[in-house]
Amino acid sequence: MGPHSRAGVRSLLTTKTMRGLHLSIWKTLSAWSVALALASSAHAALVWGVMHFAQGDEKPPRPLSGFEIVELPASMAAAEPKAEPELEPEAELEPEPEPEPENTEPVVESKPKSEPKPIMIPVAKLKIKPKPKPKPEPKPVTVAKEKVKPKPKLEKKAPPLAINKPIFKGTQNLAATTAYVPPSRHAAYLKNPKPVYPTKARKRGMEGRVVLRVMVRRDGKVKSVKVETGSGFTLLDRAAKAAVLRWRFAPAKRSGMAVEGTVLVPFDFRLTSG
Amino acid sequence: MEIANTEWMSWWSDADWIVRGVFIVLITLSVISWTITIYKAWQLSAAHKGEKVFLGRGQPVAGLPSAHVMTGLHGIEKSERENMAGALLRESRLFYEGGLTLLATIGNTAPFIGLFGTVWGIMHALQGLNGADALSMDLVAGPVAEALVATAAGLFTAIPAVVGYNLLLRKLRRLFGTAEGNTIRILSQPASTQKSEA
C-alpha cells in the first residue's frame, strides 16, 4: 500500500514537471513561435499568391466604373391626379411631338456638381447624358447603347413608359388658363440630387428603369413616393425612392393656384463600359 | 496588383459580418492547425530521434518517454516496476498527444463552418434579389460565387489539418513503438545500475 501511494504521487509530480524536463520553457516557447511564424508566413504567401493570380486571369465581370442614371424627360410622366387613367399597355406607340416648355434641361445637368451629398462623388464618375430634348422616343438609342447583358429584361420593361403618353395628351388639351400644371422638378432653384447607383447593384449588373409616382404637396415637398413600375430590383427601386424623397418640386398648379399633384418620375439605371 | 487588391477588398466590403466572421475564424483556425502541425512534427521527430539514440544504454535525453519512465521508476519495488512503467508510458503518451485533438477537431469542423458561411451568404444574396421578376443566371451566379469563398476557406483549413493529424498520429505511434522497446530495455536492466536523475 505504502509504495503504491508513494509511486502515485511521484509519477504525478514527474508528469507535472515533465514539460520542464522536456525542454526549457524558453526553448519550447521559441519552438512554438517559430512554428507560428512559419504557419503565418505560409498563409500570407498563399493569400498574396491568390491575389496575384486573381489579377492575372480574372477581370471584373462587370464594368464597374461606368454607369449612369438618366432622368428621363418629365413629360413622359406628367399626370393629373384626378384624370389618372389606369395604365394599360394598349396605347403603345403614338409618336407625338411634345412641347415641353418647362423642361429646362441645363439645370438638370448642373445638378450633380452642386450636389451636397458626398456619396455620389467618390465611386466613379457620373456620366450625365445630355438629355434628348423633346424627343419622344429615346428608347431605341438607349437600348442600342447598352452593351451589357441583361438586355431581355430591359426590353421587357420598356413598354410601361410609352404608356404614359396618353396621360400627357389628356392634359395637353386643356385651355391654357385653367390648365392643370403638374408638379415640376425642373425649376431652376431646385437642386434635386440624382439617386445613388448602389455599388452592389453595379457589381451585380443590375440595370433597369424605375418609374416613381410622387405625390407633391402644395409647398412642393414630397408627400409620398410609390414605385409605379419597378426595375425588378429592390436595390434600384429603393435607391431611386430614397433620392426622390428628398426632392423639392414646384407644386402643381390649377389656374395658377398651388394644389397637390402627382407626377411620374422615371429613372434609367444603366451600366456603361466606361 | 492594384486591381486584384481592390477586387478582394470589394468582396470583403460586400460581405456582411457573419460571412466575414466565418472567414476570420477559418483563417485563424488554419494558422493554428499549421502551427500545431509544424511544432508537433518537430517535437515528435526530435523525441523519436532521441529514443533511437538511447536504446536502453546510458541516460535518455530529458523529456523523452524513456526519461520519464526512468525517473518514475526510481525507488519503486521490483514487483511494481512493470505496472509502474506502463503507467508512466501512458502518462508520457498523453503529454505527447497534446494538440492532436484540437487538430482533429479543426479538420472535422472547418468544412461545416465554411458551409455555414456559404449558406448564409447565399441566403442574403437571394434576399437582395427578391424583387427581380426575371432572374438571369448572371445575377445569381455572382453572389453565389462570392459566397462559395467561405466553403473554399473551410476546405483550405480542413485538408491540411486532416493530413497533419494523420501524419502526427503516425509519428506518435513510431515514437511510442520505440519508447516501449526502450522501457522493456530499462526494465531488463538490474535496478542497481539505474540512476535517478535524468
Side-chain angles (χ1 to χ4, degrees), chain A residues 200-267:
Chain A
K200 223 172 190 167
R202 275 193 290 137
K203 276 195 65 175
R204 300 194 174 156
M206 296 177 178
E207 297 177 291
R209 173 163 301 168
V210 186
V211 182
L212 300 174
R213 174 174 292 276
V214 187
M215 288 276 286
V216 181
R217 290 199 299 222
R218 265 184 286 183
D219 57 0
K221 285 184 186 158
V222 174
K223 190 177 175 191
S224 70
V225 179
K226 270 194 297 187
V227 176
E228 180 81 18
T229 312
S231 60
F233 300 109
T234 323
L235 272 176
L236 297 184
D237 295 354
R238 259 191 236 141
K241 239 169 132 177
V244 170
L245 268 174
R246 290 191 304 267
W247 278 15
R248 291 303 195 82
F249 289 80
K253 295 213 165 105
R254 192 191 298 282
S255 317
M257 295 270 288
V259 291
E260 272 191 9
T262 312
V263 67
L264 294 183
V265 183
F267 289 105

Side-chain angles (χ1 to χ4, degrees), chain B residues 43-53 64 174-175 178:
Chain B
Q43 182 197 36
L44 293 177
S45 296
H48 189 231
K49 209 195 241 168
E51 288 287 349
K52 278 198 294 190
V53 168
L64 294 184
R174 239 173 28 170
L175 167 65
T178 317

Side-chain angles (χ1 to χ4, degrees), chain A:
Chain A
M1 211 64 213
H4 260 284
S5 56
R6 240 184 43 225
V9 170
R10 185 188 296 275
S11 80
L12 203 70
L13 280 176
T14 46
T15 308
K16 278 200 168 168
T17 52
M18 216 166 123
R19 283 154 211 260
L21 276 176
H22 178 217
L23 288 169
S24 75
I25 283 190
W26 291 117
K27 211 167 171 195
T28 312
L29 270 183
S30 67
W32 274 110
S33 46
V34 165
L36 182 63
L38 273 177
S40 312
S41 53
H43 279 79
L46 217 117
V47 165
W48 184 83
V50 167
M51 277 165 70
H52 205 67
F53 280 112
Q55 179 205 14
D57 52 358
E58 180 190 307
K59 53 182 183 157
R62 283 271 154 200
L64 301 182
S65 50
F67 66 91
E68 48 193 2
I69 302 170
V70 179
E71 272 177 71
L72 299 161
S75 60
M76 311 183 91
E80 180 170 9
K82 302 286 162 16
E84 247 173 52
E86 310 76 53
L87 299 169
E88 311 134 359
E90 7 102 346
E92 284 281 350
L93 288 179
E94 274 185 353
E96 183 181 335
E98 313 161 359
E100 186 62 20
E102 45 175 298
N103 260 1
T104 48
E105 305 300 337
V107 178
V108 185
E109 263 180 78
S110 68
K111 256 181 238 161
K113 257 150 260 155
S114 53
E115 216 263 4
K117 263 194 322 125
I119 321 164
M120 289 181 60
I121 306 131
V123 209
K125 64 176 181 219
L126 191 64
K127 272 197 279 177
I128 298 133
K129 223 178 66 178
K131 238 135 273 174
K133 190 57 197 283
K135 212 199 289 173
E137 295 306 324
K139 174 108 310 104
V141 185
T142 64
V143 174
K145 240 195 96 186
E146 294 155 3
K147 26 154 50 179
V148 269
K149 274 171 253 163
K151 211 102 345 136
K153 207 175 315 134
L154 264 189
E155 271 158 355
K156 209 188 302 166
K157 228 128 262 172
L161 254 192
I163 295 165
N164 296 327
K165 206 128 309 150
I167 307 171
F168 181 81
K169 198 170 60 171
T171 61
Q172 202 185 16
N173 292 340
L174 295 173
T177 43
T178 58
Y180 168 77
V181 181
S184 166
R185 59 196 150 107
H186 290 303
Y189 59 90
L190 304 172
K191 297 193 168 121
N192 293 334
K194 279 179 192 268
V196 178
Y197 210 132
T199 320
K200 223 172 190 167
R202 275 193 290 137
K203 276 195 65 175
R204 300 194 174 156
M206 296 177 178
E207 297 177 291
R209 173 163 301 168
V210 186
V211 182
L212 300 174
R213 174 174 292 276
V214 187
M215 288 276 286
V216 181
R217 290 199 299 222
R218 265 184 286 183
D219 57 0
K221 285 184 186 158
V222 174
K223 190 177 175 191
S224 70
V225 179
K226 270 194 297 187
V227 176
E228 180 81 18
T229 312
S231 60
F233 300 109
T234 323
L235 272 176
L236 297 184
D237 295 354
R238 259 191 236 141
K241 239 169 132 177
V244 170
L245 268 174
R246 290 191 304 267
W247 278 15
R248 291 303 195 82
F249 289 80
K253 295 213 165 105
R254 192 191 298 282
S255 317
M257 295 270 288
V259 291
E260 272 191 9
T262 312
V263 67
L264 294 183
V265 183
F267 289 105
D268 246 356
F269 287 83
R270 79 171 72 106
L271 299 165
T272 62
S273 55

